[in-house]
Amino acid sequence: MRSETAFWVTITAVVSVFAITSVSAAETRNLAAPVYPGAVAAVPAEGAEAAAIYIGTFGDIKTLDCQGRRSSTDFAGRPISNEEAANANLQVGPWCFLARDPIDKVKAFYDKSIGAMRPLQGEDGKHGFQVYAERAWAEIDTDAGKTNGFIYSGVSVHALAPPPVKGQTPLPATYGEGIPGQEDYLFYSLFKHLGLFHQSVAWYGPEPGKREVADLEAMSRKYGHLESAFFQHKGPELKPVDESLQKRYGDLQGERMQAAMMAPVSARQQLAATAQPAPAGESAEDAEFNRIMQKNPELANRYMSLTQQVGVLMQQGKFDEADELLDEIDELEQSNPELAALADRDQARSDSLSKAGKAQEDAIDAAGSQQLDKALWGTAMEYIEAVDKEDFYTLIVIDNALANYEKDYTRDRALIDGETAAMLHWDSRDWGIHYAQSNVGVVSPASANEPPAEEKKESVTEKAKGFLNKLKKP
């Protein structure tokens, strides 16, 4: 029996910061549980510009740890070099992996390979399972002195909430009570991956060139599963892939939209530039009109008088009176068969030109609407199809193994399960995971062999708490 006070703490909180033994970090990169078949690195090392000490290699997977650490600090948070970190036996971890399979299938794998996993219930439908695989006795030197106790390593799996369900998922606060389409707008605003489609949709009733909300509903049925997806953190900034894609296609959508909105303007300018100019000199219609008037001086005088009066009234803004005289001119034209026939031919030609012009205008508008829809909806489709190739549905978190610890190393399931029943394996808002339990890395009650309370000045458990508080500082 030991006289030291025993404490329980997850390996995530201790061993992931500094190795307790003297072996190098590279030699301790064994995992407490196997990587799920087909899983990939959640934070791939490629493109992350990290030193070798921060890269874990597991089979053909090269990855950074769950936090994507690439630089070192000491216990006080002061930066240290990679060489100093290596000499201090820095050991990063835990390690995150992503699987496309649903969480129940991944859980079944670890149920069989490690032991029955305990369920975890998070916020807003997020959930997971965990199991500890190993236990060992550790001796740690801290600023508060030497701390001894048991540490544990294990694995947990996590899933995000299911996609929103119409009529069941609470809507955001409204900002336009009673507006038709408001409820649809608020519901689809809940979908992270449908945002680029919104500009294409007529929310409050039919709108020329806009799609119906039913089109967006169809997209939510086809791609709603993406709301529950995890994405790898990649590149120099280790940004989630979906965020990088959303930025890329959002910028592209804006550029295409601007070009589409300018296209009708350019088309109209080109149409005006290519329009045939009026023929120089007297037209055939004018010659025919003059011939008729020369044959009928009385008609010509009355016609000239009326047109002059119309001009004066128009200049004076007396449009109603001018309309009355225009009606009289029409009657005068119809009173002469030759003049009536000429007026009918002129009106027919004018109607034909107007119809042709309207058809050209309509064609320009239709082409513009089609180009704008392609810019908005088409680009949104490119985005969501790209995202749909990058989605994963289970996040797997695995600790470093404790196999190098010789003191009281065990994989006894009954013993480990009993001692870790109140522990939470992993919690990270960086990955959208948070559970009601708040005891990540919390020291459990000490063993029955510790001295009576009145004999203690400062127990090892209290020292351990101070040690853990330091580890939690940014």
Side-chain angles (χ1 to χ4, degrees), residues 173-246:
T174 61
Y175 52 85
E177 294 288 350
I179 299 177
Q182 180 70 47
E183 187 172 319
D184 285 327
Y185 181 86
L186 292 171
F187 174 69
Y188 291 112
S189 71
L190 298 173
F191 287 76
K192 177 182 179 182
H193 300 288
L194 295 183
L196 293 184
F197 289 96
H198 286 190
Q199 290 191 76
S200 302
V201 177
W203 293 106
Y204 310 121
E207 187 176 341
K210 292 275 191 173
R211 289 176 175 259
E212 297 180 0
V213 176
D215 290 339
L216 192 58
E217 182 179 0
M219 298 307 297
S220 72
R221 289 196 302 268
K222 185 174 182 179
Y223 293 103
H225 58 274
L226 293 173
E227 301 304 304
S228 304
F230 291 102
F231 296 90
Q232 290 179 297
H233 292 193
K234 284 185 175 181
E237 298 179 2
L238 298 181
K239 294 182 65 174
V241 169
D242 64 319
E243 292 183 12
S244 299
L245 288 173
Q246 197 165 59

Side-chain angles (χ1 to χ4, degrees), residues 20-266:
I20 302 173
T21 61
S22 60
V23 294
S24 70
E27 292 173 340
T28 59
R29 295 272 169 81
N30 295 314
L31 296 177
V35 177
Y36 182 76
V40 302
V43 192
E46 293 81 1
E49 300 180 1
I53 191 173
Y54 300 105
I55 300 174
T57 302
F58 309 105
D60 59 353
I61 298 175
K62 290 186 180 297
T63 181
L64 304 183
D65 68 4
C66 295
Q67 293 178 286
R69 276 181 286 191
R70 292 172 286 179
S71 60
S72 307
T73 58
D74 59 15
F75 280 120
R78 294 183 294 264
I80 59 176
S81 68
N82 293 333
E83 291 73 20
E84 290 174 305
N87 292 334
N89 296 319
L90 176 74
Q91 184 162 323
V92 293
W95 308 91
C96 284
F97 306 89
L98 292 172
R100 287 205 155 91
D101 288 334
I103 191 170
D104 289 343
K105 187 173 181 180
V106 179
K107 172 187 178 296
F109 172 80
Y110 288 109
D111 281 341
K112 184 176 181 180
S113 59
I114 303 297
M117 303 190 87
R118 178 167 62 85
L120 301 167
Q121 188 58 52
E123 300 174 335
D124 303 324
K126 300 168 186 175
H127 61 287
F129 301 90
Q130 69 175 43
V131 62
Y132 284 94
E134 305 173 316
R135 186 195 78 170
W137 181 262
E139 298 180 354
I140 307 170
D141 290 324
T142 74
D143 293 343
K146 179 167 289 190
T147 299
N148 305 319
F150 287 115
I151 55 176
Y152 299 85
S153 65
V155 56
S156 57
V157 296
H158 310 271
L160 296 176
V165 178
K166 206 165 191 178
Q168 298 180 23
T169 305
L171 299 178
T174 61
Y175 52 85
E177 294 288 350
I179 299 177
Q182 180 70 47
E183 187 172 319
D184 285 327
Y185 181 86
L186 292 171
F187 174 69
Y188 291 112
S189 71
L190 298 173
F191 287 76
K192 177 182 179 182
H193 300 288
L194 295 183
L196 293 184
F197 289 96
H198 286 190
Q199 290 191 76
S200 302
V201 177
W203 293 106
Y204 310 121
E207 187 176 341
K210 292 275 191 173
R211 289 176 175 259
E212 297 180 0
V213 176
D215 290 339
L216 192 58
E217 182 179 0
M219 298 307 297
S220 72
R221 289 196 302 268
K222 185 174 182 179
Y223 293 103
H225 58 274
L226 293 173
E227 301 304 304
S228 304
F230 291 102
F231 296 90
Q232 290 179 297
H233 292 193
K234 284 185 175 181
E237 298 179 2
L238 298 181
K239 294 182 65 174
V241 169
D242 64 319
E243 292 183 12
S244 299
L245 288 173
Q246 197 165 59
K247 174 69 166 60
R248 182 196 310 172
Y249 283 100
D251 291 345
L252 181 60
Q253 187 184 61
E255 295 170 5
R256 289 174 172 175
M257 180 178 68
Q258 185 175 12
M261 293 176 69
M262 289 301 299
V265 176
S266 299

